[in-house]
Every structure is written in structure tokens, then in C-alpha cells.
Amino acid sequence: MNPNPIDAAEPAVRALAAALAARGLTLATAESCTGGLIAAACTAIAGSSDWFERGVVTYSNEAKTELLGVPAATIARFGAVSAEVAQAMAEGVLARTPAALALAVTGIAGPGGGSPAKPVGTVWLAWGVRGGVCDTRLLQLGGDRAAIRLQTVLLALEAGLAAL
């Protein structure tokens, strides 16, 4: 049985929350393959409204374009699961919110949807601080859908903390 991602992420969320609160900053998320699990883990903590601004679930390509401004041409050229799209998602959520920190994820959690070039477990993570450069990281994760999504949540939260 897989652990509950919200419970499993609590220590990482608390660390990120403390860092954000100490600096008076807020976080916004743009999620695809995690379907809002990062936002859910953050808002499971009492008092999260002090540092969590909002989360956007952009599961479809159209949602990425409409809600975050990811160019359709970028999705067509590189695919939804790419560094370019993850970066555009992070930049888009920063541009559309007052948040100081953005976390964005797009990937293939499985069990289907993978290809030889982008197998199940391929996830792109992007993070950025307002006024800075957005960074990306390719993750090649193992396990079933739940395990891939949990690992993605944890790694995203760690990246956010490291960015501060």
C-alpha cells in the first residue's frame, strides 16, 4: 500500500512553510501530473494561507495554454512533458499571481502514456523565484502511479526550499 502523499509530504511542507513565512513570501503551484497534490499537501497545514497563494491544475494542454500562457507552439514542438513546458508553467504562474515562489510539474505518471523517448516516470520539475531565473530538472522516477506522484511532490517541495 502506498503512503498518503499529503501525510508523507508534511515534514517537507513544514520546512518550506517555515522558510517562506520567515521571509514573508508566498508560493504558487502549477501542476499537471500531480493533479493538485502539491497544493493539497501545502494546504493540509493549518495557517497555510499565510504563505500559500494558490495552485493551478493544468492537466490538459489547453489548460496549460489558457491558464498559464504556455505557448501552444512550445507544447507542439517539445511535448507537454518537457523542460520548456515546465519552465513556461512556472513563469506563467509567477506572471499571473503575486507569489514570490513558483513550483511547476509536468510528467508521465502512468501506467500508460509513456514512450521510448519519454517512459513512464519521466517528470519535469521547474521552480523559480520572482525576479530570478526559472530552473528545471528532469526526474526519471520508478514505481507505480502513486509512487511517481508522491516522489514528484516531495522533490518539488525540496526544490522550492532550496530555491529560497
Side-chain angles (χ1 to χ4, degrees), residues 41-135:
C42 289
T43 58
I45 305 295
S48 59
S49 61
D50 293 339
W51 53 269
F52 186 81
E53 212 289 319
R54 73 184 76 171
V56 181
V57 177
T58 55
Y59 209 70
S60 71
N61 292 342
E62 293 78 14
K64 290 172 182 65
T65 298
E66 292 171 16
L67 298 176
L68 298 173
V70 177
T74 300
I75 296 170
R77 181 172 180 196
F78 299 104
V81 180
S82 63
E84 294 80 4
V85 169
Q87 181 176 340
M89 290 170 66
E91 291 169 348
V93 80
L94 280 175
R96 288 161 176 75
T97 71
L101 174 66
L103 296 175
V105 294
T106 183
I108 305 164
S115 69
K118 295 179 184 178
V120 169
T122 301
V123 176
W124 279 97
L125 165 62
W127 64 95
V129 176
R130 183 170 303 285
V133 175
C134 285
D135 292 309

